[in-house]
Amino acid sequence: MDLEKFRDDVYTITNRLSSQLDKDEMPKLNYVRQRLIDLYTQNLVKINHSVLELICAANLVARGYTVDVEKQISDSLVCDLYAKKDHHVSIIEIETGFTPPEHALDTIDYYVSRIVSKIARYSKYCDNFALATPVIGILPVHQIFLNPPQMRDESEIKKIKSLCDRFYKNPPIEYDEILNAKLNSIYLINIDKDFAKEIDPVSYYNLTLSILEKSEIDI
């Protein structure tokens, strides 16, 4: 653990992000920075993920939100970013494409099910739920989440649940969680240029569909 290097890095990115914010908004971003430093001293965060959180946090702060990071929202869930504006709650989960070594031989299926599980489990705790990813990554967003619950096919939900059951057993992803889950937006994070671009899921799905189809990923 190199606390001095971590502190230097989060101060550097915060200073770079300050150009996007009014002076009276900076305390909100500084709060996120200090929170990440505190979490780092407990060995709970890493610098690459923390930078992504700070960039997303700056986007939300600029839109009037108060932001917390690594917030406990249930007995078993901690979300990356938890943002409040008036009585409106937004949650953002950042995905980088990492999969653990134990899934070296089924990486794609694991990652598809991971994205499903994030949408299904987290979105019920907020008014708006978003996924975020660096611009160099691709999220395998399943097309079922482009439609409202009443337009979701039962057989497709069961198929997705069957996939999730391979990887999530305690607790499992429930049928109703998939049925009622919502995905409101996706953030594309450009780390080098310090910004996060929000786009709607349909646009993102259409942008990535050709690549995913050519890779024979069933979404």
Side-chain angles (χ1 to χ4, degrees), residues 17 20 29 32 50-63 65 67 69 81 83 92-94 131-133 187-189 194-197:
L17 292 166
Q20 305 173 21
L29 189 61
V32 175
S50 297
V51 167
L52 296 170
E53 288 180 317
L54 280 164
I55 294 173
C56 286
N59 179 287
L60 292 162
V61 167
R63 291 156 51 197
Y65 284 87
V67 183
V69 289
L81 292 107
I92 299 177
E93 276 294 300
I94 296 171
L131 293 168
T133 185
Y187 287 81
L188 302 178
I189 308 171
D194 310 322
F195 74 84
K197 172 74 172 178

Side-chain angles (χ1 to χ4, degrees), residues 128-148:
N128 280 279
F129 176 75
L131 293 168
T133 185
V135 294
I136 56 174
I138 295 179
L139 296 173
V141 175
H142 199 285
Q143 61 182 326
I144 198 169
F145 297 116
L146 307 182
N147 298 318

Side-chain angles (χ1 to χ4, degrees), residues 115-126:
I115 297 302
V116 171
S117 74
K118 285 291 185 77
I119 300 170
R121 285 182 166 164
Y122 284 81
S123 65
K124 61 186 174 184
Y125 292 102
C126 57

Side-chain angles (χ1 to χ4, degrees), residues 140-170:
V141 175
H142 199 285
Q143 61 182 326
I144 198 169
F145 297 116
L146 307 182
N147 298 318
Q150 63 270 23
M151 295 179 62
R152 295 177 184 176
D153 182 73
E154 180 180 356
S155 63
E156 195 63 27
I157 296 175
K158 289 180 177 179
K159 180 180 176 182
I160 298 170
K161 176 169 169 48
S162 178
L163 174 65
C164 290
D165 285 345
R166 288 172 49 192
F167 305 101
Y168 297 95
K169 297 181 173 63
N170 188 26

